Amino acid sequence: MTTLLSHYLDSVRDNLRLDHSSETEIIDELETHIQDRVEELKQSGLSEEEATKRCVKLLGSTKLVARQIYEAHSQGTWRQTLLASTPHLFFALLFALNWWYSIGWLSVTIVLILGTAAYGWWHGKPTWLFPWLGYSLLPVVVAGILLLYLPKGWSWLAILLYIPLVFWLLYSITVQTIKRDWLYSSLMLLPAPVIIGWFLAVALEGKFPEYSLERLQHFAPWIGLTFLVLAASVAMFIRLRQRWSKIAVLLISGLLTLTLVAFYTEGSLGSPAFSVLILVMLGLFLTPALLERKIRRGEQKPVTKMPSY
Amino acid sequence: MVKRHELMKDSIASLLLSLIAQQPMYGYQILKELGRRSEGYFEFKEGTLYPVLHRLEQAGLILGKWQVLPSGRHRKYYTITAKGHYALEEKRSQWEDFLAAMNLIIQPRVLERWER
């Protein structure tokens, strides 16, 4: 196969953003089509170079082909939709039914989340995995909060060790996720802004933990509601086909849940904090896109010039 | 009765389903057959054939299977499923309704003569 056709197939693959086995099968199918077409064009009297150029023109834009194939594959099944929404539903139930302070229920939830995330991670990273993966980072966050309550001196030392470790862990998981599709990283980070929002609104007002736990109990039904909104957003994300509509769902969901936090906490989350949270949300959701671009540029082969299609 | 724009949107998928219902085919073969039977009327960018095939496959209307030819080459052949046959019958019926409605406006005399 000529360099031009190889570049054509590479360009389709780069824009597909599907799982590895689906991508391989699609590229194989396009390759057999190209072989048939080039052979026929050569039989009609064209040279190898002419046949190749004609074949690429007949196939059409790589971005258009990849986008349409992506949309054919991007809609998850109802089973995948339910599985992807489940961790958000768990947290909605934990708060709505006031089970969040029961060590038993919390332990069951954490074990289930860690187990499911590990299973999905080692079984081809299916679409439903990413919301579970996001929650599996919660024990790390909780450990960080608890470090604040160590004796003076020890607390700073632990935090200095903890922060680089957390950044390294988050970066490694995000990079692995981005290799599949940056949108899944954003899906994984979906609950982060709302958790930070509730933490700021509930825990920073007064002495932790007694007063905050009381406030947490007061706001529990509304916290449950925000997780329910996240579950509905994830369901929509999985069922939608177009990328732009998936991105829109994530952004609307982030805005809506943060507005709910600000509304129900009646001023605990002031305008500056709300604005900063919106910026954090945009940063968390859109940074994976920039990271993906950087990673792909780094991985590109040092070819002299990429032809445009 | 299905709306006209929906009928137009589905027309390429219906054509592919109809061809595959007659015999198992691979992508390039479908494209050639479509061009031959329509005498070149249906022409589109070849790469855009595969998204339609994959949508039909995802919907369970066709099934793609890789086969090894005696020459050693691999090809993905598509066959119609029972669900696909049912969908095709529905589409044929919708198409007949559409054509009849069109004829009522465009060729009323033909229909009048036919009814007599």
Side-chain angles (χ1 to χ4, degrees):
Chain A
M1 181 161 294
T2 65
T3 318
L4 183 65
L5 290 173
S6 296
H7 280 321
Y8 184 90
L9 291 176
D10 285 345
S11 180
V12 173
R13 189 193 281 271
D14 283 347
N15 288 292
L16 273 177
R17 299 161 196 277
L18 297 170
D19 62 280
H20 184 69
S21 63
S22 300
E23 281 186 2
T24 306
E25 193 171 318
I26 289 159
I27 296 300
D28 284 351
E29 193 175 21
L30 284 174
E31 197 175 339
T32 58
H33 182 104
I34 286 170
Q35 285 167 350
D36 286 334
R37 176 51 91 189
V38 168
E39 212 169 288
E40 195 191 282
L41 288 168
K42 276 161 72 179
Q43 278 170 7
S44 72
L46 294 182
S47 68
E48 175 92 27
E49 197 186 341
E50 286 167 337
T52 305
K53 279 183 182 166
R54 179 101 182 104
C55 180
V56 165
K57 203 176 172 191
L58 286 168
L59 281 164
S61 145
T62 53
K63 281 190 179 168
L64 176 74
V65 173
R67 181 172 58 79
Q68 290 187 349
I69 294 178
Y70 171 84
E71 285 172 10
H73 288 260
S74 62
Q75 188 184 48
T77 60
W78 285 110
R79 188 173 156 269
Q80 286 169 334
T81 307
L82 184 67
L83 260 170
S85 306
T86 302
H88 298 296
L89 288 173
F90 265 138
F91 276 85
L93 278 177
L94 270 181
F95 285 97
L97 302 174
N98 260 324
W99 289 348
W100 57 271
Y101 56 80
S102 151
I103 297 294
W105 279 115
L106 276 179
S107 310
V108 167
T109 308
I110 296 292
V111 168
L112 196 70
I113 283 170
L114 289 175
T116 313
Y119 176 84
W121 186 265
W122 299 113
H123 285 83
K125 301 187 184 74
T127 312
W128 57 258
L129 160 73
F130 301 98
W132 293 88
L133 204 56
Y135 283 106
S136 70
L137 295 170
L138 260 184
V140 182
V141 178
V142 173
I145 294 169
L146 291 178
L147 287 181
L148 292 169
Y149 301 96
L150 283 175
K152 275 184 185 175
W154 284 104
S155 177
W156 283 109
L157 187 69
I159 286 169
L160 281 175
L161 286 171
Y162 171 82
I163 290 173
L165 260 172
V166 168
F167 271 102
W168 172 79
L169 182 73
L170 195 66
Y171 180 78
S172 311
I173 292 175
T174 308
V175 166
Q176 286 293 316
T177 312
I178 285 171
K179 282 183 181 168
R180 170 83 193 274
D181 184 351
W182 70 265
L183 263 184
Y184 291 130
S185 285
S186 305
L187 184 68
M188 178 182 84
L189 298 170
L190 184 67
V194 77
I195 291 172
I196 298 170
W198 279 117
F199 178 77
L200 289 178
V202 173
L204 294 186
E205 283 243 336
K207 287 181 180 176
F208 190 85
E210 296 84 10
Y211 180 66
S212 300
L213 289 178
E214 199 179 289
R215 280 174 64 79
L216 194 60
Q217 191 154 16
H218 174 70
F219 290 122
W222 311 122
I223 299 176
L225 180 67
T226 50
F227 283 110
L228 196 64
V229 172
L230 293 182
S233 308
V234 168
M236 282 175 75
F237 179 96
I238 302 287
R239 290 298 296 169
L240 287 168
R241 286 181 187 277
Q242 288 89 4
R243 283 184 78 75
W244 65 265
S245 50
K246 286 178 188 271
I247 296 167
V249 162
L250 292 184
L251 291 176
I252 292 169
S253 157
L255 280 173
L256 183 64
T257 47
L258 286 178
T259 309
L260 285 174
V261 177
F263 180 74
Y264 287 116
T265 51
E266 294 159 353
S268 295
L269 204 67
S271 300
F274 181 73
S275 309
V276 169
L277 276 173
I278 297 287
L279 289 175
V280 167
M281 183 265 290
L282 290 172
L284 281 175
F285 290 0
L286 300 176
T287 304
L290 299 173
L291 262 175
E292 183 197 65
R293 183 171 284 192
K294 204 179 167 192
I295 290 168
R296 287 197 173 189
R297 273 186 192 159
E299 281 178 351
Q300 261 176 6
K301 292 166 199 167
V303 286
T304 46
K305 194 187 170 191
M306 266 296 283
S308 57
Y309 303 110
Chain B
M1 180 85 67
V2 171
K3 284 183 184 173
R4 194 168 57 144
H5 72 270
E6 283 174 14
L7 205 65
M8 293 301 290
K9 201 175 124 186
D10 283 350
S11 58
I12 296 294
S14 305
L15 289 171
L16 300 191
L17 209 53
S18 187
L19 285 177
I20 295 165
Q22 289 159 35
Q23 67 172 101
M25 286 187 183
Y26 56 92
Y28 189 68
Q29 188 185 9
I30 293 169
L31 197 84
K32 297 297 289 177
E33 197 63 13
L34 205 60
R36 191 182 67 78
R37 290 204 200 179
S38 69
E39 295 172 350
Y41 185 85
F42 292 113
E43 274 192 7
F44 44 86
K45 288 290 179 192
E46 294 182 5
T48 57
L49 165 79
Y50 293 94
V52 187
L53 283 172
H54 287 219
R55 266 190 197 228
L56 292 173
E57 194 181 16
Q58 292 289 316
L61 303 181
I62 58 174
L63 186 69
K65 265 191 178 174
W66 285 92
Q67 285 183 21
V68 186
L69 303 178
S71 63
R73 285 180 67 182
H74 289 68
R75 273 203 181 114
K76 192 176 179 184
Y77 278 86
Y78 292 96
T79 49
I80 194 161
T81 61
K83 194 179 169 188
H85 274 297
Y86 180 76
L88 184 60
E89 277 315 304
E90 258 198 353
K91 283 183 191 298
R92 274 189 185 134
S93 156
Q94 288 165 6
W95 183 245
E96 280 160 13
D97 288 345
F98 178 74
L99 270 183
M102 287 291 284
N103 280 334
L104 282 172
I105 311 297
I106 292 173
Q107 294 176 308
R109 285 176 195 170
V110 174
L111 270 176
E112 278 166 23
R113 256 182 260 147
W114 182 74
E115 276 169 2
R116 275 179 220 152

